[in-house]
Amino acid sequence: MADRRWPLLPLSARAAWLQLTDLGDVMPELRQPRMGGAVTADELCRLLSAHSDELAGALRHLVERQIMEPVANGYRLKVY
């Protein structure tokens, strides 16, 4: 990845970012959440087949680097 944030992320966050960009292609609500309905962390765990504690750490890093952002009750992918 050419993004300057890439080397700063742990491997779990890198993997999640790659998978989330692929999901964003088929799930427009991940990029532009519908009114009052963002994709929740539980949904992301299910879609990525990840454990909630592992994904929580990756999401924290992605939010810190402004790749994901909290929206209402879930998350939005800002960078793809």
Side-chain angles (χ1 to χ4, degrees), residues 1 16-26 30-31 77 79-80:
M1 280 246 182
W17 190 5
L18 288 174
Q19 290 179 318
L20 290 168
T21 56
D22 288 342
L23 275 176
D25 291 338
V26 295
L30 186 56
R31 294 181 179 179
L77 183 62
V79 179
Y80 38 88

Side-chain angles (χ1 to χ4, degrees), residues 10-45:
L11 292 177
S12 62
R14 290 180 188 186
W17 190 5
L18 288 174
Q19 290 179 318
L20 290 168
T21 56
D22 288 342
L23 275 176
D25 291 338
V26 295
M27 262 182 93
E29 61 270 20
L30 186 56
R31 294 181 179 179
Q32 294 296 323
R34 59 193 182 281
M35 191 70 118
V39 181
T40 65
D42 290 337
E43 289 175 301
L44 291 174
C45 285

